[in-house]
C-alpha cells in the first residue's frame, strides 16, 4: 500500500487544535473590502471551527483516519 498523501491546499487552510477540533479562517476577507462594514470585517478576522458534517472530509484531506 502506498502512503496517503496530505492534500497541499488543505494543510495550508486548516489546523488541528489540542482538543481535536479543526480551525479554519472565514471567507470573504481577501478583497473587495471597501463595501464591507468595519463590524463585518472585524468578525471575519477571527478563526472558526469546521462543522461536524464536514469534519470527516477535512480529516481525510489532512491524512488522518
Amino acid at each position: 500500500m502506498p502512503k496517503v498523501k496530505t492534500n497541499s491546499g488543505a494543510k495550508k487552510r486548516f489546523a488541528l487544535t489540542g482538543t481535536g477540533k479543526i480551525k479554519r479562517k472565514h471567507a470573504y476577507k481577501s478583497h473587495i473590502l471597501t463595501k464591507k462594514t468595519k463590524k463585518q470585517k472585524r468578525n471575519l478576522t477571527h478563526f472558526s471551527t469546521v462543522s461536524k458534517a464536514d469534519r470527516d472530509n477535512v480529516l481525510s484531506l489532512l491524512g488522518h483516519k
Side-chain angles (χ1 to χ4, degrees):
M1 287 291 292
K3 292 182 182 179
V4 177
K5 288 193 175 181
T6 302
N7 184 285
S8 297
K11 71 182 175 188
K12 296 169 191 170
R13 288 172 171 83
F14 301 106
L16 287 172
T17 62
T19 57
K21 295 177 183 175
I22 306 168
K23 286 195 309 187
R24 67 172 179 86
K25 280 190 172 182
H26 285 280
Y28 308 110
K29 187 70 195 322
S30 58
H31 60 92
I32 315 176
L33 298 173
T34 53
K35 62 177 75 171
K36 295 174 183 134
T37 62
K38 287 181 186 177
K39 182 179 180 180
Q40 187 179 4
K41 289 184 278 192
R42 183 174 64 244
N43 289 335
L44 289 173
T45 299
H46 307 298
F47 280 91
S48 182
T49 55
V50 172
S51 66
K52 290 180 182 176
D54 298 324
R55 190 173 189 282
D56 291 338
N57 287 336
V58 174
L59 282 175
S60 66
L61 289 172
L62 293 174
H64 296 276
K65 291 187 178 183

